[in-house]
Amino acid sequence: MLSKIIAETRSYRRFWQAESIAIATLKELVDLARLGGSARNVQPLKYLLVNSPSQNTKIFPQLGWAGYLKDWPGPVEGERPSAYIICMLDTRLSNGAECDLGIATQNILLGATEKGLGGCRIASFSRELQRILNIPDHLQILMVLALGKPKEKVLIEDSGPDDDIKYWRDATQVHHVPKRSLQEIIMVGQSD
Amino acid sequence: MLSKIIAETRSYRRFWQAESIAIATLKELVDLARLGGSARNVQPLKYLLVNSPSQNTKIFPQLGWAGYLKDWPGPVEGERPSAYIICMLDTRLSNGAECDLGIATQNILLGATEKGLGGCRIASFSRELQRILNIPDHLQILMVLALGKPKEKVLIEDSGPDDDIKYWRDATQVHHVPKRSLQEIIMVGQSD
């Protein structure tokens, strides 16, 4: 059921690194992105698929992890992503595609959940990444999807009355994500 | 299966207008949006739910429909949306949320498909809409989701070698959407 998949599609940042992900699997995930809607149907997003340990090692240090966890620099060796999908804007086709990017990455991450995988959207990365991956100038990296088999527990809970939405980890390293309530985000229009 | 729901989640613009959608149903859909990821977990999106014929009648003329179909001004009376979800940015919380908007609206539209409903993201609307709906200044309308029970057939097909991605309608009013091939949008990184 869709609601279950959506609820289980959380941001995961620690993985069973030794569990590799085949390029064929990454292609299946991007095919879900491909079928998502696109503003004016332009479809300006392109995807670089990476699953080799040597390339993963080059990508990892270029990424910023979990801004709210100040004492945590990111996953340790052994818990790092086993694949990446680099999401890029083809600037020959469009000058922006943030909404498309949300649609596409949601389809990918939902598909990952269905396959027992998980991942994290990373929008904080070094400009060096473009050069390291030999990405041509007309493709602009918008986001890095880090993927793997999740090795952490992520819990959604209601944000409290103090309106604090920062995610946090408890002593057992369970990751807690406060979500605003339905009541807080909905307004209902007049009825007849 | 997820891939089937994703493939069936197309932009629908003609509906069985008399088939109303309950506010409770709209709430279930927004709850799926609520569970989507959000940059820095800020969750700045708010949603106005509308399903009454009188309010629908006020909203409809403020919307722009299907830019590529120059001879089609939008659905006729009887085929118009039976509900709307107005997606708004709470500018007190963030100054932009386009990626969040893609994630949230994708969850909503996937949920709609599962319920036998469908809809269309509309980013072209009059500024008047804000006033007509009495939306306070701190909430900025980003997108209107038009919803209903679809009354049209939408086909995905491969975009041709001429790179034409404009959607079109054939003589039987079937709506065709050219999609770029997987091969066109994927690059594969070096293997070890």
Side-chain angles (χ1 to χ4, degrees), chain B residues 7-28:
Chain B
E8 290 174 358
T9 300
R10 311 275 34 106
S11 293
Y12 295 101
R13 297 177 177 87
R14 289 174 293 175
F15 306 96
W16 297 97
Q17 185 175 338
E19 300 269 343
S20 63
I21 302 178
I23 290 292
T25 302
L26 299 176
K27 285 186 178 176
E28 286 174 23

Side-chain angles (χ1 to χ4, degrees), chain A residues 1-3 5-7 9-10 23 26-28 30-32 34-38 40-55 58 68 88 93 98-103 105-107 110-111 114 121 134-136 139 143 156 158 163 165-167 177-182 184-192, chain B residues 1-3 5-7 9-10 23 26-28 30-32 34-38 40-55 58 68 88 93 98-103 105-107 110-111 114 121 134-136 139 143 156 158 163 165-167 177-182 184-192:
Chain A
M1 196 178 162
L2 183 68
S3 62
I5 296 182
I6 286 176
T9 299
R10 310 278 32 107
I23 290 292
L26 299 177
K27 284 185 179 177
E28 287 174 25
V30 174
D31 203 36
L32 299 179
R34 188 179 77 86
L35 295 176
S38 171
R40 298 176 308 283
N41 201 37
V42 172
Q43 309 163 67
L45 296 175
K46 302 280 159 79
Y47 306 88
L48 173 62
L49 313 183
V50 178
N51 75 339
S52 73
S54 70
Q55 283 220 308
K58 287 182 192 164
Y68 292 140
M88 304 169 293
L93 298 172
E98 287 293 318
C99 183
D100 280 20
L101 181 68
I103 297 166
T105 56
Q106 184 63 359
N107 281 1
L110 291 171
E114 194 181 47
R121 291 179 181 90
N134 295 314
I135 294 173
L139 298 177
M143 185 173 276
I156 282 185
D158 288 346
D163 198 41
I165 46 64
K166 292 188 182 75
Y167 49 78
V177 180
K179 282 287 186 190
R180 301 185 192 280
S181 68
L182 195 55
E184 183 179 345
I185 63 172
I186 277 184
M187 297 162 57
V188 179
Q190 297 163 332
S191 56
D192 282 335
Chain B
M1 196 178 164
L2 183 68
S3 62
I5 296 181
I6 286 175
T9 300
R10 311 275 34 106
I23 290 292
L26 299 176
K27 285 186 178 176
E28 286 174 23
V30 173
D31 203 35
L32 299 179
R34 188 179 78 84
L35 294 176
S38 171
R40 298 177 308 282
N41 201 37
V42 172
Q43 307 162 69
L45 296 175
K46 303 281 160 80
Y47 306 88
L48 173 63
L49 313 182
V50 178
N51 75 339
S52 72
S54 70
Q55 284 219 308
K58 288 182 192 163
Y68 292 139
M88 305 169 292
L93 298 172
E98 287 293 317
C99 184
D100 280 21
L101 181 68
I103 298 166
T105 55
Q106 185 63 359
N107 281 1
L110 291 171
E114 194 179 47
R121 291 180 181 88
N134 295 314
I135 293 173
L139 298 177
M143 185 173 275
I156 283 185
D158 288 345
D163 198 42
I165 46 64
K166 292 189 182 72
Y167 49 77
V177 181
K179 281 287 186 190
R180 300 185 193 279
S181 69
L182 195 55
E184 183 180 345
I185 63 172
I186 277 184
M187 299 160 56
V188 179
Q190 295 162 333
S191 58
D192 284 335

Side-chain angles (χ1 to χ4, degrees), chain B residues 46-48 59 84-88 133 135 141 143-144:
Chain B
K46 303 281 160 80
Y47 306 88
L48 173 63
I59 292 172
Y84 295 96
I85 296 177
I86 315 289
C87 304
M88 305 169 292
L133 294 171
I135 293 173
I141 304 175
M143 185 173 275
V144 176

